[in-house]
Amino acid sequence: MSFPALVEPADELTIDEVRRYSRHLIIPDVGMTGQKRLKNAKVLVIGAGGLGSPALLYLAAAGVHTLGIAEFDEVDESNLQRQIIHGQSDIGKSKAQSAKESIAETNPYVDVILHEGRLDNDNVMDVFRGYDLIVDGTDNFATRYMVNDAAYFLGIPYVWGSIYRFDGQASVFAPTLADDAPCYRCLYPEPPPPGMVPSCAEGGVLGVLCASIGAIQVNEAIKLLTGIGDPLVGKLMIYDALEMEYRKLKVRKDPNCALCGENPTVTGLIDYESFCGAVSDDAAEAAAGSTISVVQLEHMLKEREEGTRDFVLVDVREPNEYEINRIPGSVLIPKGDFLNGSALEQLPSDKQVVMHCKSGVRSAETLAIVKGAGYADAVHVGGGVVAWVNQIDPSQPSY
Protein backbone atom coordinates (compact mmCIF):
# COMPACT_ATOMS: atom_id res chain seq x y z
CA MET A 1 0.00 0.00 0.00
CA SER A 2 1.36 3.42 -0.93
CA PHE A 3 0.92 6.52 1.22
CA PRO A 4 0.96 10.22 0.40
CA ALA A 5 4.37 11.86 0.73
CA LEU A 6 5.05 13.13 4.24
CA VAL A 7 6.76 16.28 2.99
CA GLU A 8 5.93 18.99 0.48
CA PRO A 9 8.70 19.70 -2.05
CA ALA A 10 11.11 22.58 -1.54
CA ASP A 11 10.97 25.46 -3.99
CA GLU A 12 14.13 24.56 -5.88
CA LEU A 13 17.42 22.71 -6.02
CA THR A 14 20.62 24.65 -6.55
CA ILE A 15 22.97 23.78 -9.38
CA ASP A 16 25.35 22.18 -6.87
CA GLU A 17 22.50 20.09 -5.44
CA VAL A 18 21.44 18.94 -8.90
CA ARG A 19 24.99 17.74 -9.54
CA ARG A 20 25.21 16.03 -6.15
CA TYR A 21 21.87 14.22 -6.36
CA SER A 22 21.89 13.52 -10.11
CA ARG A 23 21.67 9.74 -9.63
CA HIS A 24 18.45 10.27 -7.70
CA LEU A 25 17.07 12.75 -10.19
CA ILE A 26 17.28 10.33 -13.10
CA ILE A 27 15.20 7.74 -11.24
CA PRO A 28 11.64 8.36 -12.50
CA ASP A 29 10.03 7.52 -9.16
CA VAL A 30 12.24 10.03 -7.31
CA GLY A 31 13.03 12.72 -9.85
CA MET A 32 13.22 16.42 -9.14
CA THR A 33 10.05 16.45 -7.03
CA GLY A 34 11.16 13.60 -4.80
CA GLN A 35 14.57 15.18 -4.23
CA LYS A 36 12.91 18.50 -3.37
CA ARG A 37 10.82 16.64 -0.79
CA LEU A 38 14.00 15.23 0.77
CA LYS A 39 15.46 18.72 0.84
CA ASN A 40 12.41 19.92 2.76
CA ALA A 41 12.37 16.94 5.18
CA LYS A 42 13.14 16.95 8.88
CA VAL A 43 14.12 13.54 10.28
CA LEU A 44 15.08 12.69 13.84
CA VAL A 45 17.41 9.73 14.36
CA ILE A 46 17.40 8.32 17.87
CA GLY A 47 20.86 7.03 18.69
CA ALA A 48 24.16 7.51 16.86
CA GLY A 49 25.22 3.92 17.51
CA GLY A 50 25.03 0.72 15.50
CA LEU A 51 21.82 1.50 13.61
CA GLY A 52 22.06 5.27 13.85
CA SER A 53 25.49 5.35 12.20
CA PRO A 54 24.52 4.01 8.74
CA ALA A 55 21.10 5.65 8.98
CA LEU A 56 22.55 9.10 9.57
CA LEU A 57 25.18 8.77 6.85
CA TYR A 58 22.74 7.56 4.22
CA LEU A 59 20.04 10.05 5.14
CA ALA A 60 22.61 12.81 4.85
CA ALA A 61 23.95 11.46 1.57
CA ALA A 62 20.39 11.21 0.22
CA GLY A 63 19.85 14.91 0.81
CA VAL A 64 17.58 15.04 3.86
CA HIS A 65 18.12 18.68 4.72
CA THR A 66 17.46 18.65 8.47
CA LEU A 67 18.74 15.78 10.60
CA GLY A 68 18.17 15.62 14.34
CA ILE A 69 20.38 13.38 16.46
CA ALA A 70 19.16 12.28 19.89
CA GLU A 71 22.20 10.81 21.63
CA PHE A 72 23.68 11.30 25.11
CA ASP A 73 26.58 8.82 25.11
CA GLU A 74 30.29 9.13 24.33
CA VAL A 75 32.33 7.16 21.80
CA ASP A 76 33.99 4.08 23.28
CA GLU A 77 36.59 1.90 21.59
CA SER A 78 34.19 -1.06 21.63
CA ASN A 79 31.76 0.99 19.48
CA LEU A 80 34.09 1.17 16.49
CA GLN A 81 33.47 -2.43 15.38
CA ARG A 82 30.02 -1.40 14.10
CA GLN A 83 29.35 2.31 14.67
CA ILE A 84 30.94 3.46 11.42
CA ILE A 85 30.09 7.14 11.79
CA HIS A 86 32.82 7.39 14.47
CA GLY A 87 36.58 6.90 14.20
CA GLN A 88 39.60 6.28 16.37
CA SER A 89 40.16 9.98 17.02
CA ASP A 90 36.56 10.30 18.28
CA ILE A 91 37.05 8.04 21.33
CA GLY A 92 35.87 9.92 24.40
CA LYS A 93 33.99 12.48 22.31
CA SER A 94 30.24 13.05 22.38
CA LYS A 95 28.65 10.65 19.90
CA ALA A 96 26.27 13.36 18.77
CA GLN A 97 29.11 15.78 18.04
CA SER A 98 31.19 13.08 16.35
CA ALA A 99 28.23 12.16 14.15
CA LYS A 100 27.64 15.80 13.25
CA GLU A 101 31.24 16.16 12.09
CA SER A 102 31.02 13.01 9.94
CA ILE A 103 27.77 14.22 8.38
CA ALA A 104 29.43 17.53 7.47
CA GLU A 105 32.05 15.55 5.55
CA THR A 106 29.36 13.47 3.84
CA ASN A 107 27.09 16.36 2.86
CA PRO A 108 27.74 20.00 3.80
CA TYR A 109 24.20 20.97 2.76
CA VAL A 110 22.65 19.15 5.74
CA ASP A 111 21.62 21.04 8.86
CA VAL A 112 22.21 18.96 12.01
CA ILE A 113 20.34 19.55 15.25
CA LEU A 114 21.79 17.91 18.36
CA HIS A 115 19.68 16.65 21.27
CA GLU A 116 22.39 15.52 23.68
CA GLY A 117 20.33 14.84 26.79
CA ARG A 118 18.92 11.43 27.61
CA LEU A 119 15.40 11.06 26.23
CA ASP A 120 12.83 10.76 28.99
CA ASN A 121 9.21 11.57 29.72
CA ASP A 122 10.08 15.18 30.51
CA ASN A 123 11.64 16.03 27.15
CA VAL A 124 10.63 13.42 24.55
CA MET A 125 7.53 15.26 23.31
CA ASP A 126 9.43 18.53 22.88
CA VAL A 127 12.32 16.78 21.11
CA PHE A 128 10.00 14.95 18.68
CA ARG A 129 7.77 17.90 17.90
CA GLY A 130 8.51 19.50 14.53
CA TYR A 131 10.02 16.45 12.82
CA ASP A 132 8.34 14.75 9.87
CA LEU A 133 9.69 11.28 10.62
CA ILE A 134 11.60 9.43 13.32
CA VAL A 135 14.17 6.69 12.76
CA ASP A 136 14.53 4.62 15.92
CA GLY A 137 17.92 3.05 16.56
CA THR A 138 17.56 2.46 20.29
CA ASP A 139 18.72 -0.74 21.95
CA ASN A 140 16.56 -1.00 25.05
CA PHE A 141 12.90 -1.80 25.52
CA ALA A 142 11.98 1.07 27.81
CA THR A 143 13.06 3.65 25.23
CA ARG A 144 11.38 1.74 22.39
CA TYR A 145 8.00 1.84 24.12
CA MET A 146 8.46 5.51 24.99
CA VAL A 147 9.36 6.34 21.37
CA ASN A 148 6.33 4.43 20.12
CA ASP A 149 3.92 6.13 22.49
CA ALA A 150 5.29 9.66 22.03
CA ALA A 151 5.31 9.30 18.23
CA TYR A 152 1.71 8.07 18.31
CA PHE A 153 0.52 10.94 20.50
CA LEU A 154 2.21 13.46 18.18
CA GLY A 155 1.03 11.74 14.99
CA ILE A 156 4.59 11.19 13.69
CA PRO A 157 5.38 7.97 11.77
CA TYR A 158 8.58 6.20 12.68
CA VAL A 159 10.86 3.55 11.26
CA TRP A 160 11.95 0.92 13.76
CA GLY A 161 14.90 -1.44 13.67
CA SER A 162 16.39 -4.03 16.00
CA ILE A 163 19.60 -6.09 15.88
CA TYR A 164 21.09 -8.94 17.91
CA ARG A 165 24.01 -11.18 17.01
CA PHE A 166 23.14 -12.30 13.44
CA ASP A 167 19.44 -11.35 13.43
CA GLY A 168 17.72 -8.11 12.52
CA GLN A 169 14.18 -6.78 12.28
CA ALA A 170 12.65 -3.66 10.77
CA SER A 171 9.20 -2.18 10.39
CA VAL A 172 7.31 1.09 10.01
CA PHE A 173 4.81 2.10 12.66
CA ALA A 174 2.41 4.75 11.44
CA PRO A 175 -1.07 4.27 12.91
CA THR A 176 -1.88 7.89 12.11
CA LEU A 177 -1.36 7.29 8.36
CA ALA A 178 -3.98 4.55 8.07
CA ASP A 179 -6.76 3.29 10.31
CA ASP A 180 -5.52 -0.30 10.07
CA ALA A 181 -1.81 0.46 10.58
CA PRO A 182 -0.38 -1.13 13.76
CA CYS A 183 1.97 0.38 16.32
CA TYR A 184 4.89 -1.24 18.12
CA ARG A 185 2.59 -2.34 20.95
CA CYS A 186 0.46 -4.27 18.45
CA LEU A 187 3.54 -6.31 17.59
CA TYR A 188 4.92 -6.53 21.15
CA PRO A 189 2.11 -5.84 23.66
CA GLU A 190 4.40 -6.60 26.59
CA PRO A 191 8.17 -6.38 26.99
CA PRO A 192 10.04 -9.66 27.51
CA PRO A 193 10.69 -10.70 31.10
CA PRO A 194 13.68 -8.85 32.57
CA GLY A 195 16.94 -10.60 31.74
CA MET A 196 15.33 -12.85 29.13
CA VAL A 197 16.71 -10.96 26.10
CA PRO A 198 20.36 -9.93 26.45
CA SER A 199 21.40 -6.55 25.16
CA CYS A 200 23.96 -6.22 22.38
CA ALA A 201 26.49 -5.36 25.08
CA GLU A 202 25.80 -8.74 26.69
CA GLY A 203 25.09 -10.93 23.67
CA GLY A 204 27.04 -9.20 20.92
CA VAL A 205 26.16 -8.17 17.38
CA LEU A 206 27.78 -8.75 14.01
CA GLY A 207 29.02 -5.32 12.98
CA VAL A 208 27.86 -5.46 9.38
CA LEU A 209 24.34 -6.41 10.49
CA CYS A 210 23.94 -2.78 11.57
CA ALA A 211 24.49 -1.65 7.97
CA SER A 212 21.95 -4.17 6.65
CA ILE A 213 19.14 -3.07 8.99
CA GLY A 214 20.15 0.59 9.02
CA ALA A 215 19.97 0.63 5.22
CA ILE A 216 16.48 -0.86 5.33
CA GLN A 217 15.43 1.87 7.75
CA VAL A 218 16.72 4.61 5.44
CA ASN A 219 15.08 2.96 2.44
CA GLU A 220 11.75 3.08 4.28
CA ALA A 221 12.34 6.65 5.37
CA ILE A 222 12.95 7.80 1.80
CA LYS A 223 9.81 6.01 0.60
CA LEU A 224 7.69 7.65 3.29
CA LEU A 225 9.14 11.13 2.79
CA THR A 226 8.72 11.06 -0.99
CA GLY A 227 5.53 8.99 -1.22
CA ILE A 228 6.96 6.21 -3.40
CA GLY A 229 6.83 2.43 -3.17
CA ASP A 230 5.18 0.21 -0.59
CA PRO A 231 6.52 0.97 2.91
CA LEU A 232 6.76 -1.64 5.68
CA VAL A 233 3.56 -0.42 7.30
CA GLY A 234 1.79 -3.45 8.72
CA LYS A 235 4.76 -5.66 7.84
CA LEU A 236 7.77 -6.96 9.75
CA MET A 237 11.01 -7.63 7.86
CA ILE A 238 13.16 -10.31 9.49
CA TYR A 239 16.75 -10.85 8.39
CA ASP A 240 18.94 -13.84 9.24
CA ALA A 241 22.52 -12.97 8.28
CA LEU A 242 23.84 -16.51 8.84
CA GLU A 243 21.33 -18.08 6.47
CA MET A 244 21.21 -14.96 4.26
CA GLU A 245 17.45 -15.09 4.44
CA TYR A 246 14.83 -12.35 4.47
CA ARG A 247 11.27 -13.00 5.59
CA LYS A 248 8.35 -10.59 5.60
CA LEU A 249 5.48 -11.14 8.02
CA LYS A 250 2.16 -9.35 8.18
CA VAL A 251 1.49 -7.42 11.39
CA ARG A 252 -2.15 -6.63 12.02
CA LYS A 253 -3.50 -3.81 14.12
CA ASP A 254 -4.56 -5.19 17.49
CA PRO A 255 -8.08 -3.99 18.37
CA ASN A 256 -7.16 -4.58 22.01
CA CYS A 257 -3.89 -2.61 21.81
CA ALA A 258 -3.35 -0.57 24.96
CA LEU A 259 -2.32 2.44 22.87
CA CYS A 260 -4.03 2.46 19.46
CA GLY A 261 -6.84 -0.05 20.08
CA GLU A 262 -10.54 0.51 20.42
CA ASN A 263 -10.41 1.08 24.17
CA PRO A 264 -6.90 2.41 24.93
CA THR A 265 -5.59 2.27 28.47
CA VAL A 266 -2.32 4.08 27.70
CA THR A 267 -3.46 7.65 27.16
CA GLY A 268 -0.23 9.39 28.18
CA LEU A 269 3.42 8.67 28.81
CA ILE A 270 3.97 6.08 31.55
CA ASP A 271 6.85 4.91 33.75
CA TYR A 272 8.68 2.90 31.07
CA GLU A 273 11.51 1.71 33.29
CA SER A 274 8.97 0.21 35.65
CA PHE A 275 6.93 -1.18 32.73
CA CYS A 276 9.94 -2.98 31.26
CA GLY A 277 11.83 -3.58 34.48
CA ALA A 278 15.61 -3.70 34.68
CA VAL A 279 15.31 -6.87 36.72
CA SER A 280 12.38 -9.02 37.75
CA ASP A 281 10.64 -8.54 41.06
CA ASP A 282 12.13 -11.81 42.32
CA ALA A 283 15.63 -10.66 41.36
CA ALA A 284 15.18 -7.27 42.97
CA GLU A 285 13.94 -8.91 46.16
CA ALA A 286 16.82 -11.37 46.18
CA ALA A 287 19.41 -8.63 45.59
CA ALA A 288 18.07 -6.41 48.35
CA GLY A 289 20.56 -6.70 51.18
CA SER A 290 22.53 -9.36 49.29
CA THR A 291 24.61 -7.18 46.97
CA ILE A 292 28.30 -6.59 47.54
CA SER A 293 30.66 -4.17 45.79
CA VAL A 294 33.80 -5.12 43.87
CA VAL A 295 35.85 -3.56 46.69
CA GLN A 296 34.21 -5.91 49.17
CA LEU A 297 34.81 -8.81 46.80
CA GLU A 298 38.50 -7.93 46.51
CA HIS A 299 38.76 -8.03 50.30
CA MET A 300 36.92 -11.36 50.44
CA LEU A 301 39.27 -12.85 47.83
CA LYS A 302 42.29 -11.81 49.90
CA GLU A 303 40.76 -13.46 52.96
CA ARG A 304 40.18 -16.61 50.91
CA GLU A 305 43.85 -16.65 49.89
CA GLU A 306 44.84 -16.27 53.54
CA GLY A 307 42.59 -19.16 54.53
CA THR A 308 40.39 -17.10 56.83
CA ARG A 309 37.35 -17.30 54.59
CA ASP A 310 35.89 -19.78 52.11
CA PHE A 311 33.33 -19.26 49.39
CA VAL A 312 32.76 -20.08 45.74
CA LEU A 313 32.79 -17.25 43.21
CA VAL A 314 30.51 -18.07 40.26
CA ASP A 315 30.62 -16.27 36.92
CA VAL A 316 27.22 -16.65 35.23
CA ARG A 317 28.21 -15.16 31.86
CA GLU A 318 28.69 -17.13 28.64
CA PRO A 319 31.95 -18.99 27.84
CA ASN A 320 32.96 -16.52 25.12
CA GLU A 321 32.61 -13.65 27.60
CA TYR A 322 34.70 -15.56 30.13
CA GLU A 323 37.49 -15.78 27.55
CA ILE A 324 37.63 -11.98 27.20
CA ASN A 325 38.13 -11.16 30.87
CA ARG A 326 37.35 -12.59 34.27
CA ILE A 327 37.61 -12.03 37.99
CA PRO A 328 40.49 -14.18 39.25
CA GLY A 329 39.39 -17.22 41.23
CA SER A 330 35.94 -17.45 39.63
CA VAL A 331 34.34 -20.55 38.14
CA LEU A 332 32.11 -20.41 35.08
CA ILE A 333 28.53 -21.65 35.33
CA PRO A 334 26.40 -19.89 32.67
CA LYS A 335 23.01 -18.47 33.55
CA GLY A 336 21.29 -21.02 31.32
CA ASP A 337 22.45 -23.81 33.64
CA PHE A 338 20.64 -22.10 36.50
CA LEU A 339 17.50 -21.75 34.44
CA ASN A 340 17.44 -25.47 33.60
CA GLY A 341 18.44 -26.48 37.13
CA SER A 342 21.70 -28.24 36.31
CA ALA A 343 23.83 -25.56 37.99
CA LEU A 344 22.52 -26.39 41.45
CA GLU A 345 24.27 -29.78 41.27
CA GLN A 346 27.59 -27.97 40.84
CA LEU A 347 27.27 -25.69 43.86
CA PRO A 348 28.82 -26.76 47.17
CA SER A 349 26.44 -27.02 50.09
CA ASP A 350 29.02 -26.03 52.70
CA LYS A 351 30.25 -22.73 51.23
CA GLN A 352 28.79 -19.31 50.62
CA VAL A 353 27.93 -18.69 46.96
CA VAL A 354 29.00 -15.35 45.46
CA MET A 355 27.72 -14.64 41.92
CA HIS A 356 28.61 -12.12 39.28
CA CYS A 357 28.04 -11.36 35.58
CA LYS A 358 29.02 -8.46 33.36
CA SER A 359 26.95 -5.72 34.99
CA GLY A 360 24.87 -7.31 37.76
CA VAL A 361 21.57 -7.99 35.99
CA ARG A 362 22.05 -11.67 35.14
CA SER A 363 23.67 -12.40 38.50
CA ALA A 364 20.66 -10.87 40.27
CA GLU A 365 18.36 -13.16 38.31
CA THR A 366 20.42 -16.25 39.16
CA LEU A 367 20.72 -15.11 42.77
CA ALA A 368 16.94 -15.40 43.05
CA ILE A 369 17.15 -19.01 41.83
CA VAL A 370 19.95 -19.88 44.22
CA LYS A 371 18.23 -18.32 47.22
CA GLY A 372 15.07 -20.17 46.29
CA ALA A 373 17.08 -23.39 46.41
CA GLY A 374 18.06 -22.77 50.03
CA TYR A 375 21.34 -20.83 49.77
CA ALA A 376 20.18 -18.12 52.12
CA ASP A 377 23.59 -16.43 52.50
CA ALA A 378 24.26 -16.17 48.75
CA VAL A 379 25.17 -12.73 47.41
CA HIS A 380 25.93 -11.16 44.05
CA VAL A 381 28.40 -8.50 42.92
CA GLY A 382 26.88 -5.17 41.93
CA GLY A 383 28.40 -3.85 38.70
CA GLY A 384 29.97 -7.23 37.89
CA VAL A 385 33.04 -7.52 35.69
CA VAL A 386 32.58 -3.98 34.36
CA ALA A 387 33.02 -2.56 37.85
CA TRP A 388 35.92 -4.96 38.55
CA VAL A 389 37.84 -3.83 35.47
CA ASN A 390 37.11 -0.15 36.08
CA GLN A 391 37.87 -0.08 39.79
CA ILE A 392 40.16 -3.00 40.62
CA ASP A 393 41.96 -4.36 37.56
CA PRO A 394 42.14 -1.91 34.63
CA SER A 395 44.81 -4.07 32.98
CA GLN A 396 42.06 -6.39 31.75
CA PRO A 397 40.14 -5.53 28.55
CA SER A 398 36.56 -4.30 28.76
CA TYR A 399 33.84 -5.21 26.27
Side-chain angles (χ1 to χ4, degrees):
M1 179 189 298
S2 60
F3 295 91
L6 290 178
V7 182
E8 291 298 316
D11 292 336
E12 63 178 3
L13 298 179
T14 66
I15 294 176
D16 289 338
E17 288 172 333
V18 169
R19 282 198 296 262
R20 176 176 287 266
Y21 307 125
S22 62
R23 298 306 186 270
H24 272 177
L25 300 180
I26 59 178
I27 302 174
D29 288 346
V30 180
M32 188 68 77
T33 299
Q35 194 62 49
K36 287 180 179 179
R37 293 187 193 278
L38 294 177
K39 181 177 180 177
N40 219 20
K42 297 180 180 179
V43 177
L44 174 66
V45 177
I46 304 176
L51 290 176
S53 288
L56 285 165
L57 290 175
Y58 271 110
L59 286 167
V64 172
H65 184 266
T66 303
L67 277 178
I69 305 175
E71 175 61 80
F72 65 90
D73 205 0
E74 295 181 348
V75 180
D76 182 79
E77 188 173 15
S78 66
N79 301 150
L80 303 183
Q81 161 258 8
R82 65 200 177 281
Q83 299 179 18
I84 58 171
I85 204 167
H86 313 297
Q88 185 71 23
S89 62
D90 296 316
I91 293 175
K93 185 186 295 184
S94 155
K95 282 188 180 180
Q97 186 62 44
S98 169
K100 181 178 181 179
E101 293 169 3
S102 295
I103 289 170
E105 285 294 313
T106 300
N107 189 344
Y109 303 121
V110 175
D111 288 339
V112 178
I113 301 172
L114 302 185
H115 306 277
E116 296 192 74
R118 185 188 293 269
L119 280 181
D120 57 30
N121 285 14
D122 294 330
N123 62 22
V124 65
M125 302 290 276
D126 290 334
V127 170
F128 283 14
R129 197 171 281 114
Y131 287 100
D132 303 304
L133 181 68
I134 294 168
V135 175
D136 181 17
T138 56
D139 62 356
N140 69 86
F141 289 100
T143 306
R144 286 174 185 168
Y145 280 99
M146 180 180 67
V147 168
N148 178 75
D149 295 358
Y152 177 80
F153 293 136
L154 291 171
I156 304 174
Y158 79 100
V159 185
W160 168 78
S162 174
I163 50 176
Y164 177 67
R165 291 185 176 169
F166 298 97
D167 301 318
Q169 300 180 359
S171 187
V172 172
F173 298 111
T176 54
L177 292 184
D179 291 338
D180 60 347
C183 74
Y184 180 77
R185 287 180 180 269
C186 296
L187 177 61
Y188 297 114
E190 299 287 341
M196 182 64 68
V197 180
S199 67
C200 289
E202 293 177 338
V205 61
L206 185 69
V208 73
L209 179 67
C210 303
S212 301
I213 301 303
I216 290 175
Q217 290 183 281
V218 175
N219 185 65
E220 295 306 300
I222 291 173
K223 287 156 61 179
L224 289 164
L225 294 169
T226 60
I228 63 175
D230 183 9
L232 287 174
V233 177
K235 294 180 282 289
L236 175 67
M237 180 67 74
I238 301 174
Y239 173 51
D240 182 340
L242 279 182
E243 298 297 329
M244 200 58 214
E245 180 180 75
Y246 285 92
R247 290 183 295 147
K248 190 160 59 175
L249 306 179
K250 181 172 288 188
V251 180
R252 300 186 183 278
K253 182 182 180 73
D254 181 2
N256 298 314
C257 176
L259 181 71
C260 68
E262 297 172 359
N263 298 292
T265 56
V266 177
T267 57
L269 301 179
I270 64 173
D271 184 342
Y272 295 96
E273 294 293 338
S274 176
F275 176 64
C276 295
V279 295
S280 67
D281 292 340
D282 288 343
E285 182 179 348
S290 296
T291 302
I292 64 172
S293 68
V294 290
V295 174
Q296 289 174 293
L297 176 61
E298 182 185 33
H299 182 69
M300 291 171 62
L301 288 169
K302 288 179 180 177
E303 290 181 329
R304 191 171 72 172
E305 289 178 4
E306 296 167 354
T308 59
R309 186 169 194 155
D310 199 11
F311 62 92
V312 58
L313 177 61
V314 180
D315 188 331
V316 303
R317 297 176 300 161
E318 296 302 308
N320 56 312
E321 295 177 273
Y322 193 71
E323 291 178 3
I324 298 172
N325 57 21
R326 68 190 68 176
I327 298 177
S330 61
V331 296
L332 178 67
I333 307 178
K335 177 186 172 183
D337 291 353
F338 288 89
L339 295 177
N340 65 32
S342 63
L344 299 177
E345 301 173 359
Q346 305 175 52
L347 298 180
S349 59
D350 58 345
K351 297 179 183 179
Q352 183 184 23
V353 176
V354 179
M355 318 182 76
H356 78 83
C357 62
K358 179 180 180 179
S359 63
V361 175
R362 284 174 284 177
S363 58
E365 298 289 344
T366 53
L367 179 65
I369 296 172
V370 169
K371 281 185 171 289
Y375 292 84
D377 61 347
V379 297
H380 88 122
V381 182
V385 172
V386 171
W388 180 268
V389 172
N390 289 338
Q391 299 180 41
I392 308 298
D393 188 6
S395 66
Q396 290 201 60
S398 59
Y399 70 101

